[in-house]
Amino acid sequence: MLTNFVIIPILVAVFLYLFPLNKSARFLALLAQLGLTAAAFWLFLETRQGEIFLSIGSYHSVLGIYLRADLLSAMFIFLTAIFFLVATIYSFHEDFGRLFWFLMFIWQAALIGIFLAADLFNIFVLMEVSAVIVAVLIMYNRLKRSMYDGIIYFAVNIILMQFYLFGLGYIYRLTGTVDMYLMSERIHAYHYNYLMLPYAAIMTFIALKCALVPLFAWLPKAHGSAAAPPAVSAILSGLHIKSTIYLFIRFQDLFELVASTQFFLILGIITGVFGFVMAIAQTDIKLILAYHTISQVGLIFTALSIADATYLGGFTYSFVGGLYHIFNHALFKGGLFLSAGVLAAAYGTRNVYKIRGVFRAYPVIGAATAMAIFGIIGAPFFNGSISKYFMVSDADTLLNGVLIFMSLGTIVSFVKYSNILFGKPELPEDAPRKLPILQQTMVLLMGVLCFLSGIFGVQTIQFLFDITVYIDLWGYIEKTLIFFASLAVGVLIYKYYVKESAFLKRIKNVEMGFRTMVFSIGAFFTTILLVVGVFYQP
Amino acid sequence: MRVELAELFAVIMFFISFYGLIVTRNIIKSVIFIIIMEAAAIMFFLSIGYRSGILAPIGPNLAEVESWAYIADPFPQALMITAIVIGLSVTTILLIMTITITREYKTTDWDTIKIRSLEK
């Protein structure tokens, strides 16, 4: 049963490659995607009764390859299926050619495979597959600039895959298995010192894939790539990066002996602050969103690491907030990237100061963008406010201040972004009067989902993670007041600082070359080895 | 824990190629270093199953062995054959990308490409 989730997208992909321009073929693909979404929903409901697992080839032994779905992975699979459904409908009438459709469905199979895989070697293989696919997709339209982006993305990712393989080999040497669950039983028999090296290697891999500072440099290139179709950018930022956060949650449980939550807490804060500073400095709408993804990943890492929480070791409210923010960030960032794609095509530019008057020119897109922005800055009644409310609940005063500061940064960067909504539209001559109805619907759907998962926040958390949480009304009102205060401060900062800051202009084009990136990988690896080896040595 | 010579060699090779990736400016050399790194990781994995004086897990003389402890663990080999195949395709893609980027930018130097990519 579980294998179908991987096999069916691959079959659809092959089918689409063989019958590319036939419209009914695409229609069938859409139907298959709908079916897959329904099946993912069924799987999601089924895992509430308990884990589902399947041994490929029926080898019921240590050597068998297992697929397992628990509530967390089923949630991610459900999210994947929805996202690809939206992307399929969004690009339904686009003329991208057969390769695009082929890659999209293989990509989906690889992502679902990562969420289902119970052994670390399968994860390695599927990660390589998805790295290849993403590298091809981000240089899809073959612009000169995107060739460089593509090779940087691919080369850096492949180097980190070798780190992962190295770490995996080391754990296999200790435990004699690659199965995650068996490994977590056996790993306790080993002394702390033996686990340091594999932990450092694997966490370097995770940190790069999640674009934590200082390993972020590939992300704006890949996610903000001009040559990638909008649906690809949306999936990259909304979903693809979450697959590694999922692995982070798993590996923190696996390595609980050496796992350092404090290190990732600090790293998350640095990443969050750095991300929004860079986002504020950009003028390209896709790059603002891409850098902002870095900031949000930092926020998620911070939330997941507050109060030493792990997935299996008992939830805290902050951890739930982090999990919910993964889901929310997928919704609003997906919506924003999709609408940015529409706008960039209509206005013929991606400069945030040149796109004006979206509300007047394209009211539906404008409304959806506004809803997604409300979600991301955590306006009351929108989903961001719920996840941010839970995130701070386990934070002490200092951390609370830091989180409010990060939230303020988000507000400033989106005050800048919301420039595009107002004013008098200056459309080029050949701009379309009406946008394709399917694209408008999908963008609006994402926006509305941001609102719905906000008002029904508690119910959505109950539904997605099977955890009952409560919102204290006075606490929520307090957070709302803080939000409005920081919104006012954010607008002031934007007006009087951001607009003519020389500092921001200077850091706008800061770029890391390939060799600097590799060097920072080495530096990160050494740092994490030192942190777990020296500072946390029990 | 015993450390085999092959393992030590693989680890050293891994970090030498990493150093190479930092210092080289040529894309082709970078690709070669990535291949060496891959080979080192694979060699590390393979050498897990090996101890000196142990039998290969294939062949006719397996039947005479008294205990399983004298036979090398075949599992890493099974995994690594997959990793080698992936490595091959990854190398191919990297080289194809190198060809396209060299045609576009007329150079194989990372730093020059970075500067030229910023020009409009």
Side-chain angles (χ1 to χ4, degrees):
Chain A
M1 178 59 221
L2 287 180
T3 41
N4 290 348
F5 283 97
V6 184
I7 290 173
I8 287 175
I10 293 178
L11 289 180
V12 173
V14 174
F15 181 76
L16 283 173
Y17 196 70
L18 294 177
F19 309 98
L21 297 169
N22 191 345
K23 200 150 200 192
S24 51
R26 240 183 246 177
F27 199 71
L28 279 174
L30 182 64
L31 274 183
Q33 184 61 39
L34 271 172
L36 196 73
T37 314
F41 186 64
W42 172 83
L43 179 74
F44 179 68
L45 292 181
E46 203 70 0
T47 45
R48 301 184 139 223
Q49 266 84 51
E51 271 182 18
I52 302 174
F53 63 99
L54 176 108
S55 160
I56 298 173
S58 317
Y59 286 101
H60 290 288
S61 72
V62 185
L63 298 179
I65 297 171
Y66 285 93
L67 295 182
R68 290 181 209 234
D70 66 357
L71 199 58
L72 188 67
S73 45
M75 193 280 281
F76 274 102
I77 292 166
F78 184 41
L79 193 64
T80 312
I82 293 178
F83 238 83
F84 275 88
L85 182 65
V86 169
T88 310
I89 299 174
Y90 180 89
S91 330
F92 195 72
H93 292 301
E94 301 265 352
D95 192 22
F96 288 132
R98 57 168 87 180
L99 187 63
F100 173 76
W101 291 98
F102 177 74
L103 290 175
M104 284 293 266
F105 277 89
I106 299 274
W107 191 11
Q108 184 180 9
L111 282 177
I112 292 181
I114 290 169
F115 296 135
L116 282 178
D119 71 288
L120 299 187
F121 193 73
N122 265 356
I123 291 173
F124 167 76
V125 173
L126 293 166
M127 277 283 175
E128 292 256 17
V129 171
S130 58
V132 171
I133 293 166
V134 172
V136 178
L137 279 176
I138 59 179
M139 36 199 255
Y140 197 75
N141 291 335
R142 294 177 155 271
L143 301 176
K144 188 177 176 185
R145 168 79 221 229
S146 64
M147 298 283 165
Y148 178 60
D149 297 344
I151 196 169
I152 288 266
Y153 173 84
F154 194 60
V156 172
N157 270 282
I158 293 310
I159 293 167
L160 260 291
M161 290 315 296
Q162 307 322 316
F163 269 84
Y164 179 79
L165 193 60
F166 183 66
L168 172 59
Y170 205 100
I171 319 172
Y172 179 79
R173 189 180 196 271
L174 296 175
T175 59
T177 176
V178 288
D179 186 278
M180 212 189 285
Y181 292 75
L182 217 54
M183 203 180 265
S184 66
E185 282 169 22
R186 294 186 186 175
I187 213 163
H188 288 283
Y190 291 92
H191 188 256
Y192 188 90
N193 286 349
Y194 290 137
L195 300 175
M196 275 166 12
L197 196 61
Y199 181 73
I202 288 181
M203 281 302 154
T204 314
F205 158 78
I206 296 275
L208 179 108
K209 285 270 184 180
C210 291
L212 298 180
V213 170
L215 310 177
F216 62 91
W218 61 271
L219 188 138
K221 288 184 197 303
H223 291 205
S225 164
V232 171
S233 306
I235 293 176
L236 266 177
S237 236
L239 193 69
H240 187 81
I241 201 158
K242 308 301 189 319
S243 66
T244 334
I245 299 180
Y246 165 82
L247 289 182
F248 171 74
I249 294 171
R250 290 277 188 237
F251 288 148
Q252 285 289 78
D253 272 329
L254 182 61
F255 287 99
E256 58 179 331
L257 279 181
V258 279
S260 154
T261 46
Q262 265 160 342
F263 177 67
F264 282 99
L265 180 70
I266 294 166
L267 205 63
I269 292 170
I270 295 173
T271 310
V273 173
F274 177 83
F276 77 68
V277 172
M278 288 302 278
I280 293 168
Q282 303 304 315
T283 50
D284 181 317
I285 49 172
K286 249 182 155 175
L287 279 182
I288 293 180
L289 296 178
Y291 273 110
H292 197 265
T293 298
I294 300 178
S295 162
Q296 293 283 299
V297 167
L299 187 65
I300 291 169
F301 265 81
T302 314
L304 292 178
S305 308
I306 291 176
D308 284 333
T310 54
Y311 182 64
L312 296 176
F315 290 107
T316 59
Y317 265 30
S318 291
F319 194 84
V320 175
L323 280 181
Y324 193 43
H325 203 72
I326 295 176
F327 179 77
N328 290 341
H329 180 252
L331 290 182
F332 39 64
K333 202 44 85 57
L336 283 170
F337 263 112
L338 290 180
S339 63
V342 175
L343 295 176
Y347 282 82
T349 175
R350 306 199 305 170
N351 191 318
V352 73
Y353 294 117
K354 295 215 175 103
I355 300 177
R356 313 285 303 159
V358 176
F359 266 138
R360 273 199 225 165
Y362 305 110
V364 178
I365 303 287
T369 310
M371 279 199 264
I373 288 177
F374 281 140
I376 209 164
I377 62 180
F381 305 118
F382 282 86
N383 53 6
S385 70
I386 306 288
S387 43
K388 281 180 182 166
Y389 169 82
F390 285 121
M391 260 179 215
V392 295
S393 40
D394 289 323
D396 52 24
T397 328
L398 178 69
L399 212 50
N400 215 328
V402 170
L403 284 169
I404 290 172
F405 180 61
M406 275 154 86
S407 183
L408 178 69
T410 305
I411 288 172
V412 177
S413 54
F414 276 91
V415 167
K416 181 168 183 177
Y417 189 82
S418 64
N419 256 325
I420 63 168
L421 296 174
F422 308 108
K424 197 164 163 287
E426 285 163 22
L427 287 160
E429 293 287 308
D430 54 342
R433 267 291 131 94
K434 285 185 100 178
L435 296 170
I437 188 83
L438 285 179
Q439 297 193 348
Q440 290 203 7
T441 325
M442 284 307 113
V443 174
L444 192 65
L445 176 75
M446 291 302 228
V448 171
L449 281 178
C450 287
F451 182 59
L452 287 180
S453 59
I455 359 180
F456 301 111
V458 178
Q459 289 86 339
T460 318
I461 290 176
Q462 167 82 40
F463 175 71
L464 286 176
F465 310 110
D466 209 6
I467 303 160
T468 317
V469 284
Y470 301 99
I471 290 186
D472 175 33
L473 184 64
W474 287 112
Y476 192 72
I477 290 172
E478 188 195 320
K479 296 286 180 312
T480 310
L481 290 177
I482 292 175
F483 166 74
F484 280 116
S486 38
L487 184 63
V489 175
V491 173
L492 286 179
I493 291 178
Y494 174 71
K495 269 218 158 125
Y496 294 105
Y497 178 67
V498 175
K499 268 190 173 169
E500 57 266 342
S501 160
F503 169 71
L504 289 177
K505 280 207 184 92
R506 208 165 22 184
I507 62 167
K508 187 187 139 199
N509 284 328
V510 169
E511 276 237 354
M512 255 195 201
F514 176 73
R515 296 189 301 151
T516 330
M517 275 185 222
V518 179
F519 177 77
S520 57
I521 291 168
F524 187 89
F525 178 73
T526 323
T527 314
I528 190 163
L529 204 57
L530 277 179
V531 166
V532 290
V534 179
F535 297 113
Y536 283 93
Q537 188 81 352
Chain B
M1 202 152 79
R2 278 179 55 135
V3 177
E4 286 292 333
L5 200 62
E7 275 171 352
L8 201 64
F9 182 67
V11 173
I12 292 170
M13 207 159 84
F14 188 87
F15 285 102
I16 286 178
S17 54
F18 190 78
Y19 171 74
L21 280 170
I22 297 173
V23 292
T24 183
R25 289 176 62 161
N26 189 317
I27 297 187
I28 308 265
K29 282 184 188 163
S30 293
V31 173
I32 293 171
F33 277 124
I34 290 175
I35 298 170
I36 297 174
M37 211 167 161
E38 220 165 67
I42 288 169
M43 187 173 165
F44 179 76
F45 219 116
L46 281 179
S47 55
I48 292 164
Y50 176 79
R51 293 194 308 278
S52 48
I54 208 165
L55 271 179
I58 192 167
N61 41 3
L62 279 186
E64 296 149 25
V65 179
E66 295 153 22
S67 154
W68 288 110
Y70 297 119
I71 303 172
D73 181 3
F75 196 58
Q77 269 112 320
L79 295 182
M80 281 313 108
I81 198 81
T82 323
I84 289 168
V85 172
I86 296 171
L88 179 77
S89 40
V90 160
T91 312
T92 319
I93 294 168
L94 270 175
L95 287 174
I96 292 170
M97 282 179 167
T98 314
I99 293 170
T100 27
I101 206 163
T102 317
R103 277 197 193 135
E104 286 284 349
Y105 289 91
K106 311 276 183 268
T107 173
T108 50
D109 183 296
W110 279 116
D111 298 357
T112 320
I113 291 173
K114 183 188 152 195
I115 293 163
R116 289 190 189 162
S117 78
L118 288 173
E119 294 163 3
K120 280 279 144 82

